[in-house]
Amino acid sequence: MRTDSSPGTLPAREHLPAGDAGTPVLDVVIPVYNEEKDLQPCVLRLHEHLRRTFPYAFRITIADNASTDATPLVAARLEAEIPEVANFRLEQKGRGRALRTVWSAAEAPILAYMDVDLSTDLNALLPLVAPLISGHSDLAIGSRLARSSRVVRGPKREFISRAYNLILRGSLQARFSDAQCGFKAIRRDVAQVLMPLVEDTGWFFDTEMLVLAERAGLRIHEVPVDWVDDPDSTVHIVKTATEDLKGVWRVGKALATGSLPLDRITRPFGDDPRDRDIQDVPKGLARQLVGFCVVGGLSTLFYLLLYSLFRQFGGSQIANALALLVSAVANTAANRRLTFGVRGRGGAVRHQAQGLVVFGIGLALTSGSLAALNAATSNPAHSTELAVLVAANLAATVLRFLLFRAWVFPDRAEGEKSTVVVSHNPSSPTYATTAHPQYRQQPYGEQPYGEHAHQPPLPQRPVAYPVAHQHHETTQIRAGEVADRSWEDATLHLQPVRPTETDPKDPR
């Protein structure tokens, strides 16, 4: 898996200006291989639909993947007869290779592609690209598996499609519903930084692009489509499925090892309410509650298992104390890492000590409940003991969450920040963070588009720049967050600086 750097962090999305009538806003790519029969009807139908319904200027690009029949002649004739049609010839096969090549050289701010069989109804094209034009989303896909989609295809293709998406959800935690529908669009600025990270040149290209975009936090818009299967499709299902599974393994391995610089393609949120400092609104409460409930449920099962085990060798009080002690240590460690996002060994001993205090409170509640039960019944049944302990643990759980959030793992105050200086190691990239002024400067090598060329961009979150280009003060990072790397979130984007990228003004 590649680890080369992309051009830089994406700027905030903006609504595309109308621009000149002759400047294409949308470029629709049609990858073809030996499609001499279907190419001309497809292009003519697509051109007529765009001319009649699309409010912006457009272009249709035929990407010929080394066809050996009359496809190149048909494409050349269409290019000569229709001004909005362009022809691009590649000498190697591969849909992913064709899209990467054409999109890398495209000038239109919105890039799309569709299969030559036009299985997807063209009425979904404008809804597909509209959120990209408006600045709402980064990518858009047609979905055959949405509830309101209307799909006509055989049971074999239906089973394969749904099974593949279940594999993606189970292995790569994908949340989009349809990875392989040949009906997608992307903003050009997103494509420029995303394409260098996508390795596949065949049918898995779509899936890899969507997974990386989703993991980087980019917004993917889904459009329900009307889709009719092409019975004459030349796709080899078994070979394609095998290559897709290999791609799933490769991408999953790269994501697990962290070899992809996804923090380099995150999108700043601009005027996002999550960026505002709102008084009396706790941050991350919903996520912490979900994590705490999951950990608490597993801890309760672990506790009951231990209690039943220890109860065979001693009394109920001893079994309860031992089971609660062991489960409390495991519960504190799990909540520390999963619920409150504290990583590394820093403060682990203190957190466990405070967790034991919370454990003592839970012990008092559960032991008191057992004592009350024994006082009421001289020889209570084991099932009754478990029921009482479950009720007592539920009460202790609520108190435990409040104490964890307010005392054991509290949000650090702004006044507790301290500056961290990271030394330079010539054998590895150096990372630096900078605090930006009110308006973000244009990224290196990037030109503003249309009428926004002389307008300042929207305010952005802090973005990291290489050390050689720093002109602003160093961003303060909270003490204790370097060892556990908890400061590497979506608000700080790191860019490696090679040892050769030195400042010419530096006398060293």
Side-chain angles (χ1 to χ4, degrees):
M1 180 62 68
R2 296 176 180 173
T3 57
D4 52 288
S5 307
S6 57
T9 303
L10 292 167
R13 293 184 297 264
E14 293 184 1
H15 194 297
L16 295 176
D20 298 331
T23 303
V25 170
L26 172 66
D27 192 341
V28 182
V29 180
I30 304 177
V32 291
Y33 173 72
N34 290 346
E35 298 286 355
E36 58 181 2
K37 294 182 180 180
D38 295 336
L39 179 56
Q40 180 168 332
C42 166
V43 172
L44 294 179
R45 179 181 165 192
L46 175 60
H47 179 266
E48 171 61 21
H49 178 84
L50 288 172
R51 186 188 61 81
R52 181 170 47 86
T53 64
F54 193 66
Y56 292 89
F58 62 88
R59 175 182 292 126
I60 300 173
T61 301
I62 303 171
D64 179 14
N65 295 143
S67 295
T68 57
D69 61 357
T71 298
L73 299 178
V74 176
R77 184 172 67 250
L78 291 171
E79 182 181 30
E81 295 176 354
I82 306 175
E84 290 84 7
V85 174
N87 180 29
F88 197 94
R89 167 78 177 184
L90 290 89
E91 299 303 329
Q92 292 178 291
K93 293 178 59 177
R95 182 178 69 174
R97 178 180 289 108
L99 292 176
R100 185 205 310 276
T101 303
V102 175
W103 282 356
S104 299
E107 299 178 354
I110 304 298
L111 310 173
Y113 93 89
M114 62 181 60
D115 293 334
V116 69
D117 55 16
L118 294 186
S119 296
T120 305
D121 186 77
L122 292 178
N123 286 326
L125 182 55
L126 185 55
L128 183 79
V129 301
L132 308 186
I133 294 175
S134 68
H136 175 270
S137 301
D138 299 292
L139 298 91
I141 64 174
S143 175
R144 298 163 296 184
L145 302 180
R147 291 185 179 273
S148 57
S149 296
R150 294 177 291 183
V151 177
V152 179
R153 60 177 168 181
K156 181 180 179 180
R157 294 287 296 268
E158 181 78 11
F159 173 78
I160 292 175
S161 179
R162 292 188 179 274
Y164 181 66
N165 282 280
L166 286 176
I167 292 174
L168 293 181
R169 289 177 178 270
S171 60
L172 300 179
Q173 287 79 49
R175 296 190 298 272
F176 47 84
S177 64
D178 192 351
Q180 294 183 314
C181 180
F183 195 73
K184 295 181 176 68
I186 186 172
R187 288 176 65 103
R188 185 187 62 183
D189 56 348
V190 176
Q192 288 175 344
V193 297
L194 189 57
M195 292 303 101
L197 302 181
V198 180
E199 285 192 11
D200 192 81
T201 59
W203 295 97
F204 187 70
F205 177 88
D206 305 49
T207 303
E208 185 172 359
M209 176 182 68
L210 291 174
V211 169
L212 298 186
E214 187 175 70
R215 286 298 186 95
L218 301 181
R219 179 176 289 163
I220 301 175
H221 178 73
E222 295 196 14
V223 178
V225 297
D226 298 340
W227 193 87
V228 179
D229 190 14
D230 180 13
D232 299 325
S233 175
T234 59
V235 177
H236 300 285
I237 297 178
V238 176
K239 181 181 178 181
T240 302
T242 302
E243 294 299 323
D244 286 347
L245 292 177
K246 292 180 180 179
V248 170
W249 170 259
R250 174 176 54 81
V251 173
K253 181 180 178 181
L255 293 174
T257 57
S259 60
L260 286 168
L262 297 182
D263 56 340
R264 300 288 305 280
I265 57 176
T266 53
R267 170 81 76 179
F269 290 91
D271 188 20
D272 194 306
R274 289 172 291 184
D275 293 334
R276 304 170 192 165
D277 187 13
I278 304 176
Q279 299 296 328
D280 302 326
V281 177
K283 298 179 179 180
L285 179 59
R287 180 188 60 80
Q288 291 178 358
L289 275 174
V290 173
F292 185 81
C293 289
V294 172
V295 172
L298 296 177
S299 298
T300 300
L301 294 177
F302 184 50
Y303 161 78
L304 294 176
L305 179 63
L306 291 176
Y307 176 81
S308 300
L309 178 64
F310 294 147
R311 187 67 174 85
Q312 300 179 13
F313 305 100
S316 61
Q317 293 289 1
I318 296 178
N320 173 64
L322 290 176
L324 196 59
L325 175 61
V326 176
S327 61
V329 172
N331 180 276
T332 300
N335 276 307
R336 181 178 186 270
R337 174 65 179 85
L338 301 177
T339 304
F340 298 97
V342 180
R343 305 181 183 181
R345 299 179 180 178
V349 176
R350 175 174 59 84
H351 293 154
Q352 283 292 349
Q354 292 173 315
L356 289 178
V357 175
V358 179
F359 150 75
I361 298 175
L363 178 62
L365 286 174
T366 53
S367 298
S369 300
L370 284 176
L373 177 63
N374 290 327
T377 306
S378 58
N379 189 21
H382 182 62
S383 59
T384 305
E385 287 183 349
L386 291 180
V388 171
L389 288 174
V390 168
N393 268 283
L394 289 176
T397 298
V398 176
L399 182 60
R400 186 183 303 120
F401 176 76
L402 297 177
L403 290 175
F404 272 175
R405 181 175 173 83
W407 180 47
V408 183
F409 307 108
D411 291 334
R412 294 180 179 88
E414 293 295 326
E416 297 178 2
K417 293 181 180 179
S418 60
T419 302
V420 177
V421 179
V422 184
S423 60
H424 172 66
N425 183 1
S427 63
S428 62
T430 299
Y431 295 90
T433 61
T434 59
H436 279 254
Q438 181 182 5
Y439 295 108
R440 180 183 184 276
Q441 294 180 352
Q442 196 72 19
Y444 309 115
E446 177 179 331
Q447 298 298 326
Y449 178 79
E451 66 184 21
H452 291 276
H454 303 290
Q455 297 180 3
L458 296 174
Q460 305 301 324
R461 287 184 174 180
V463 180
Y465 278 95
V467 173
H469 299 285
Q470 288 184 22
H471 302 292
H472 309 297
E473 61 185 77
T474 302
T475 298
Q476 292 183 339
I477 302 174
R478 296 171 180 170
E481 293 180 346
V482 173
D484 58 22
R485 305 179 69 85
S486 61
W487 50 274
E488 290 184 353
D489 59 8
T491 63
L492 292 177
H493 311 294
L494 306 180
Q495 297 188 4
V497 180
R498 315 294 178 190
T500 56
E501 296 175 352
T502 56
D503 190 344
K505 298 180 181 180
D506 192 338
R508 294 176 296 178

